[in-house]
């Protein structure tokens, strides 16, 4: 069914000058009467932009999608047929040019992964996972042979396992389960140059959250074949939330949230602050660019921990320090690698999106993408733009209109009343800057040790 047309669809030219050379054509997609989050963008073969997200309306979550053909946006359409607890939308373009939407939802007390396919119109909802398990947080990818891959978390006693399944011309395969004595979570997928897909995830199987990697291949009508897992990180601190993308030469880029950069901080609270890290897996070797600043570790993309509590009267343990975490990686049409993460440099809840680009031999400067927004900007997702560039979509909060008071007298913490502004979905175009680059050749990554 079609939802009512949104009252708000703004091209925010007023704000795009904040990073006019990088972030342009900012559009607010969702209605300010709702709370919207977790977007997923995609371009189809005709250059039509699709964006799906989770929308909370009247206390219930649903999956909605809009599309733009030329300069015209469609109305929002609800995709799920659920009970009001749906999230985690992902979009994929198959080899025939059809758009697929995937998400998880709860029905009759069970969580499952669902899908619908656009082929001139949206087909029926499909339940992909068994109703006898709880399945959450799907990741999707298309391999070079046209196989559609889905990986997701499955709840088990005292943790989670990961299952993966494939759709070939024969239909959907049975799932293959990846499990351990620990908890295996947050799967990420990317196509392999050799066929099949890479699967990355974080796991406590070694006694601490680390990043792991395996390759997955089709096995006829049987469950997919999983290669032996490779341990990517083995630091004594926490490494989690991997994001992966494959470059044109077949190298796999892995970005993750790591705490190793703060392991020697004096306060325990500070040791749990994260940073964005990256590794490159090329022909069986682990590589890393140099850290982005003096004192940064190899592959460390974000650096610094600004103290946002300058008042000496407050005990140092309770000072608000800058966090930089949850990086997402994407490769553009010129094989440049974008790493975008969130940081709360301006307040405890006032997240902005920052980024760096690696072009194979150089780092860009640190790009402050959303400093124009005084609210919370997080959970970015990307789509490669046909003909060049990258489209980004993210969860934000409604931007203050001209004349609105965007400040809150919150002392050390907030500069903006984020609780008084509903979540919205923003989307914009990203273009790499011409200047501000520094040499950063890929070198052998240092060995991991617990």
């Amino acid at each position: 069914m079609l939802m009512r047309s949104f009252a708000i669809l703004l091209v925010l030219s007023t704000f795009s000058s904040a990073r006019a050379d990088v972030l342009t054509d900012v559009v607010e997609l969702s209605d300010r009467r709702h709370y919207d989050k977790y977007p997923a963008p995609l371009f189809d073969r005709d250059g039509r932009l699709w964006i799906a997200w989770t929308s909370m309306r009247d206390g219930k979550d649903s999956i909605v999608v809009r599309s733009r053909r030329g300069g015209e946006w469609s109305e929002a359409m609800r995709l799920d047929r659920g009970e009001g607890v749906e999230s985690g939308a992902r979009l994929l373009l198959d080899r025939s040019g059809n758009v697929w939407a995937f998400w998880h939802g709860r029905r009759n007390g069970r969580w499952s992964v669902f899908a619908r396919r656009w082929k001139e119109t949206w087909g029926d909802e499909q339940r992909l996972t068994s109703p006898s398990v709880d399945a959450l947080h799907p990741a999707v990818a298309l391999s070079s042979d046209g196989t559609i891959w889905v990986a997701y978390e499955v709840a088990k006693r005292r943790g989670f396992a990961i299952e993966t399944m494939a759709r070939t011309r024969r239909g959907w395969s049975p799932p293959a389960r990846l499990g351990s004595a620990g908890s295996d979570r947050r799967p990420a997928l990317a196509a392999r140059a050799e066929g099949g897909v890479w699967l990355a995830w974080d796991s406590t199987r070694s006694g601490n959250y680390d990043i792991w990697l395996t390759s997955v291949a089709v096995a006829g009508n049987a469950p997919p074949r999983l290669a032996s897992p490779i341990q990517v990180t083995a630091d004594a601190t926490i490494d989690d939330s991997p994001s992966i993308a494959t470059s044109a030469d077949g190298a796999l880029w892995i970005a993750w949230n790591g705490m190793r950069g703060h392991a020697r901080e004096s306060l325990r609270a500070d040791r749990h602050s994260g940073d964005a890290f990256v590794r490159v897996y090329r022909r069986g070797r682990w590589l890393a660019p140099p850290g982005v600043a003096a004192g940064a570790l190899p592959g460390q993309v974000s650096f610094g921990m600004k103290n946002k509590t300058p008042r000496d009267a407050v005990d140092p343990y309770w000072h608000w320090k800058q966090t930089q975490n949850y990086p997402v990686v994407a490769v553009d049409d010129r094989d440049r690698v974008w790493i975008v993460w969130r940081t709360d440099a301006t307040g405890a809840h006032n997240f902005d999106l920052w980024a760096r680009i690696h072009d194979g031999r150089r780092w860009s400067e640190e790009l402050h993408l959303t400093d124009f927004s005084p609210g919370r900007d997080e959970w970015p997702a990307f789509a490669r733009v046909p003909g060049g560039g990258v489209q980004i979509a993210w969860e934000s909060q409604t931007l203050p209109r001209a004349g609105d008071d965007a400040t809150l007298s919150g002392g050390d913490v907030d500069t903006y009343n984020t609780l008084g502004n509903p979540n919205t979905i923003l989307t914009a175009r990203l273009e790499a800057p011409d200047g501000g680059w520094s040499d950063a050749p890929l070198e052998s990554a240092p060995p991991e040790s617990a």
Side-chain angles (χ1 to χ4, degrees):
M1 76 179 181
L2 290 178
M3 292 184 173
R4 294 175 56 190
S5 298
F6 284 152
I8 301 295
L9 180 59
L10 302 176
V11 177
L12 303 172
S13 57
T14 303
F15 300 99
S16 62
S17 60
R19 288 297 315 178
D21 56 337
V22 178
L23 189 77
T24 60
D25 301 326
V26 183
V27 175
E28 183 177 331
L29 275 179
S30 49
D31 192 323
R32 296 183 178 215
R33 295 170 296 177
H34 307 131
Y35 286 80
D36 299 310
K37 49 200 173 185
Y38 309 136
L42 175 78
F43 282 94
D44 65 20
R45 288 182 180 175
D46 298 326
R48 186 175 183 178
L49 173 61
W50 299 77
I51 300 182
W53 66 87
T54 303
S55 184
M56 177 182 283
R57 299 160 181 267
D58 300 322
K60 293 184 177 181
D61 286 341
S62 59
I63 304 299
V64 301
V65 65
R66 298 188 74 182
S67 64
R68 183 184 68 195
R69 189 192 298 272
E72 296 295 324
W73 285 91
S74 71
E75 294 184 339
M77 179 179 177
R78 179 180 172 182
L79 291 179
D80 70 275
R81 296 292 181 263
E83 303 167 356
V85 189
E86 318 285 319
S87 193
R90 298 288 185 266
L91 296 179
L92 179 143
L93 187 68
D94 70 19
R95 186 166 56 179
S96 299
N98 303 312
V99 175
W100 288 76
F102 302 85
W103 69 94
H104 69 245
R106 192 178 68 191
R107 316 289 169 81
N108 298 318
R110 283 288 195 184
W111 295 93
S112 298
V113 174
F114 297 90
R116 291 185 73 177
R117 179 176 63 175
W118 169 271
K119 190 176 182 181
E120 304 300 332
T121 187
W122 286 103
D124 293 338
E125 181 183 88
Q126 306 174 45
R127 184 199 296 264
L128 302 186
T129 56
S130 169
S132 65
V133 300
D134 285 310
L136 296 154
H137 304 129
V140 299
L142 184 74
S143 58
S144 57
D145 64 356
T147 300
I148 297 173
W149 292 88
V150 182
Y152 47 90
E153 298 176 0
V154 174
K156 66 176 187 177
R157 187 178 182 183
R158 297 180 181 175
F160 289 85
I162 290 173
E163 289 186 351
T164 182
M165 59 196 309
R167 187 181 190 275
T168 66
R169 292 185 179 92
R170 300 183 181 94
W172 289 101
S173 73
R177 178 167 291 199
L178 184 157
S180 68
S183 193
D184 298 277
R185 300 203 64 187
R186 288 172 280 270
L189 292 174
R192 294 181 72 229
E194 304 88 346
V197 290
W198 291 110
L199 168 62
W201 72 100
D202 60 56
S203 176
T204 60
R205 61 179 61 201
S206 61
N208 182 52
Y209 270 111
D210 291 305
I211 307 300
W212 292 75
L213 177 70
T214 189
S215 60
V216 194
V218 170
N221 293 325
R225 296 190 304 269
L226 297 164
S228 298
I230 301 168
Q231 188 167 0
V232 180
T233 68
D235 195 83
T237 61
I238 293 174
D239 296 308
D240 63 12
S241 306
S243 173
I244 60 177
T246 309
S247 58
D249 65 356
L252 182 73
W253 288 73
I254 305 180
W256 76 90
N257 179 58
M259 298 180 184
R260 61 185 67 193
H262 302 279
R264 298 181 181 178
E265 295 290 339
S266 59
L267 298 176
R268 183 177 180 273
D270 295 343
R271 292 195 293 273
H272 285 265
S273 181
D275 270 305
F277 285 85
V278 70
R279 289 288 186 271
V280 183
Y281 192 57
R282 178 186 288 159
R283 294 186 286 276
R285 293 182 60 211
W286 286 105
L287 307 172
V292 294
L297 298 171
Q300 186 171 348
V301 184
S302 64
F303 186 74
M305 190 168 65
K306 179 181 177 181
N307 188 340
K308 297 174 289 181
T309 308
R311 298 179 182 177
D312 294 337
V314 179
D315 187 290
Y317 182 89
W318 300 107
H319 284 199
W320 283 100
K321 304 291 182 65
Q322 178 185 2
T323 59
Q324 304 195 70
N325 53 21
Y326 300 120
V328 179
V329 63
V331 179
D332 68 17
D333 61 308
R334 293 179 58 182
D335 216 31
R336 295 171 300 204
V337 179
W338 293 73
I339 300 105
V340 179
W341 66 96
R342 71 173 193 177
T343 181
D344 60 348
T346 59
H349 306 290
N350 303 331
F351 286 109
D352 288 310
L353 297 180
W354 289 5
R356 286 188 189 271
I357 310 167
H358 198 278
D359 68 357
R361 59 187 180 86
R362 300 177 301 169
W363 276 124
S364 74
E365 62 182 329
E366 189 174 74
L367 307 172
H368 297 180
L369 300 180
T370 62
D371 283 355
F372 61 83
S373 170
R376 186 179 64 244
D377 298 285
E378 54 189 344
W379 313 129
F382 303 95
R384 186 179 294 188
V385 179
V390 176
Q391 190 78 22
I392 184 173
W394 71 97
E395 174 186 332
S396 186
Q397 290 185 294
T398 54
L399 300 171
R401 295 184 174 94
D404 287 354
D405 184 4
T407 63
L408 174 70
S409 180
D412 302 328
V413 180
D414 289 305
T415 61
Y416 185 54
N417 185 0
T418 60
L419 298 178
N421 292 272
N423 287 15
T424 189
I425 301 301
L426 298 183
T427 185
R429 183 71 58 89
L430 290 174
E431 297 287 350
D434 294 328
W437 297 81
S438 59
D439 290 339
L442 296 179
E443 301 172 345
S444 294
E448 293 285 316
S449 59

